[in-house]
């Protein structure tokens, strides 16, 4: 293999902060049992935060961001993986405390790696990435609460973002009637193609007033937004319904009352993709390769970019300008 390879490196010192391509060697990579030739990665909100000096994601510099990667094993000290295996690595410390996927090669602890399921290509795995995996965890949580398509409509908030887009696509694939909430009026056609039956403005979900109990509107919701809007959603969930929450772009405070929980039996389900146990992780990836896999997967791609383009692309998510997923191609 090559002695040097290309990676996107962020660096910070007292004088400046830089985001630029650099040459690394295998010796520069952190410890791990499996060396992977990275074929694809993706762009997530965490990656965008890692590309700014005050993003509070990266602790030690220099650093290689990228919380997602998919590629082929070059060498392995773990007998569970061998040269030529196709694998996925997301979450845990990847792209946060351990060099990530914005690199032609990555060395990853074996306990963080999922074999690529039959039914997915490496490219498809990174169209999905952490965003799609989080959406799938949310849908699975609703299914575990026995939320079925015949119980009523399911709300998806932040519907043009990575998690929201995938939630719309997965739920519609499973036969649910989806109402998609977005602040982007121009995204109607995009969301309809993903399977949303109805497009709602943010104001139709939360009008600025939080009521202890509102009119029952949805059987369930997938919410990657949080904040005051989540409190409003909880007050409008049908009796026995559930809300799967995975984000806080709308804020970390949820000023709700106990009434949705004690008078309507509403369930608030927390979704964490970072430390998700491996057994469950593998199960959900298998589902993403089969029953959860949207037929319109390619429509979730906003753009396919290279490492060289990343310094221009990463700030887009911070400005709320992304619709769908940015796929990063390294091979």
């Amino acid at each position: 293999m090559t002695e040097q390879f290309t990676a996107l490196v962020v660096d910070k010192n007292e004088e400046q902060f830089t985001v630029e391509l650099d040459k690394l060697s295998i010796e520069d990579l952190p410890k791990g049992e499996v060396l992977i030739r990275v074929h694809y990665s993706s762009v997530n909100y965490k990656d965008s935060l890692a590309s700014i000096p005050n993003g509070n994601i990266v602790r030690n510099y220099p650093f290689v961001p990228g919380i997602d990667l998919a590629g082929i094993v070059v060498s392995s000290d773990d007998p569970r993986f061998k040269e030529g295996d196709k694998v996925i690595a997301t979450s845990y410390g990847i792209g946060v405390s351990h060099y990530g996927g914005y690199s032609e090669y990555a060395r990853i602890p074996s306990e963080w790696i999922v074999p690529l399921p039959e039914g997915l290509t490496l490219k498809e795995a990174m169209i999905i990435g952490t965003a799609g995996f989080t959406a799938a965890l949310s849908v699975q949580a609703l299914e575990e609460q026995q939320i079925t398509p015949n119980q009523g409509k399911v709300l998806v908030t932040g519907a043009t973002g990575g998690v929201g887009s995938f939630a719309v696509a997965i739920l519609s694939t499973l036969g649910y009637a989806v109402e998609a909430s977005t602040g982007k009026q121009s995204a109607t056609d995009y969301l309809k193609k993903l399977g949303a039956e109805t497009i709602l403005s943010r104001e139709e979900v939360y009008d600025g007033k939080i009521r202890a109990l509102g009119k029952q509107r949805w059987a369930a919701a997938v919410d990657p937004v949080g904040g005051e809007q989540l409190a409003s959603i909880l007050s409008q969930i049908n009796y026995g319904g559930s809300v799967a929450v995975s984000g806080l772009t709308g804020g970390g405070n949820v000023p709700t009352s106990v009434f949705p929980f004690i008078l309507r039996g509403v369930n608030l389900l927390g979704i964490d993709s970072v430390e998700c146990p491996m057994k469950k992780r593998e199960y959900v990836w298998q589902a993403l390769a089969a029953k959860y896999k949207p037929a319109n997967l390619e429509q979730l791609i906003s753009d396919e970019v290279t490492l060289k383009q990343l310094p221009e692309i990463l700030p887009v998510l911070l400005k709320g300008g992304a619709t769908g997923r940015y796929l990063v191609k390294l091979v």
Side-chain angles (χ1 to χ4, degrees):
M1 59 173 289
T2 182
E3 292 185 1
Q4 287 194 316
F5 54 88
T6 303
L8 183 79
V9 178
V10 296
D11 202 2
K12 181 180 181 181
N13 56 43
E14 294 180 357
E15 297 179 354
Q16 63 178 348
F17 181 86
T18 58
V19 182
E20 56 190 13
L21 298 186
D22 201 355
K23 291 293 183 180
L24 302 182
S25 65
I26 298 302
E27 289 70 28
D28 294 319
L29 297 176
K31 292 181 179 180
E33 291 80 19
V34 183
L35 180 65
I36 301 167
R37 176 61 168 102
V38 181
H39 283 226
Y40 289 95
S41 184
S42 64
V43 179
N44 299 276
Y45 195 74
K46 272 188 178 180
D47 302 319
S48 294
L49 288 174
S51 72
I52 60 176
N54 58 346
N56 295 321
I57 294 296
V58 178
R59 295 291 183 266
N60 298 300
Y61 296 92
F63 190 74
V64 177
I67 65 172
D68 294 341
L69 66 93
I72 296 177
V73 173
V74 175
S75 62
S76 173
D77 295 328
D78 187 320
R80 293 176 297 174
F81 301 99
K82 64 182 186 299
E83 182 181 352
D85 284 351
K86 296 180 179 179
V87 295
I88 305 165
T90 67
S91 306
Y92 302 105
I94 299 170
V96 176
S97 58
H98 187 101
Y99 280 18
Y102 296 164
S103 172
E104 292 179 335
Y105 288 88
R107 189 155 54 194
I108 304 295
S110 57
E111 63 267 24
W112 295 355
I113 296 174
V114 175
L116 182 74
E118 185 177 347
L120 282 181
T121 66
L122 293 173
K123 179 179 179 179
E124 289 173 333
M126 286 297 96
I127 298 174
I128 296 169
T130 291
F133 179 73
T134 303
L137 283 173
S138 302
V139 173
Q140 183 201 33
L142 296 183
E143 288 187 318
E144 288 176 346
Q145 294 297 319
Q146 300 181 338
I147 304 296
T148 57
N150 63 1
Q151 291 177 344
K153 296 179 179 180
V154 177
L155 172 70
V156 176
T157 65
T160 59
V163 176
S165 292
F166 261 96
V168 171
I170 293 171
L171 287 164
S172 64
T173 296
L174 294 174
Y176 290 87
V178 180
E179 294 201 333
S181 170
T182 179
K184 299 176 182 176
Q185 294 181 349
S186 61
T188 296
D189 288 345
Y190 167 75
L191 292 171
K192 289 282 189 180
K193 287 179 181 178
L194 294 185
E197 290 192 3
T198 309
I199 313 302
L200 303 177
S201 67
R202 292 171 181 166
E203 292 73 25
E204 290 177 276
V205 175
Y206 172 47
D207 62 4
K209 297 179 181 179
I210 299 174
R211 300 162 180 85
L213 287 174
K215 181 181 178 180
Q216 298 180 53
R217 298 175 64 185
W218 303 293
V222 173
D223 179 39
V225 177
E228 292 182 353
Q229 179 178 260
L230 174 56
S232 180
I233 293 166
L234 288 166
S235 74
Q236 300 174 80
I237 295 295
N238 295 353
Y239 188 95
S242 298
V243 179
V245 59
S246 61
L248 46 63
T249 56
N253 294 321
V254 184
T256 188
S257 74
V258 299
F259 293 116
F261 310 111
I262 66 173
L263 297 182
R264 290 182 179 167
V266 171
N267 304 290
L268 181 58
L269 312 173
I271 305 300
D272 169 54
S273 62
V274 177
E275 297 295 337
C276 175
M278 183 53 71
K279 185 176 181 180
K280 184 174 186 178
R281 186 178 296 275
E282 290 178 341
Y283 173 84
V284 172
W285 273 109
Q286 290 290 342
L288 281 162
K291 70 172 185 174
Y292 285 0
K293 184 179 180 180
N296 49 6
L297 194 58
E298 293 280 340
Q299 292 181 7
L300 287 146
I301 301 176
S302 175
D303 200 2
E304 184 173 298
V305 301
T306 64
L307 285 178
K308 186 178 180 180
Q309 293 172 284
L310 277 176
E312 297 179 3
I313 295 299
L314 286 165
V316 173
L317 271 70
L318 299 176
K319 299 174 183 177
T323 297
R325 300 275 287 155
Y326 283 99
L327 184 69
V328 184
K329 184 177 182 180
L330 290 96
V331 173

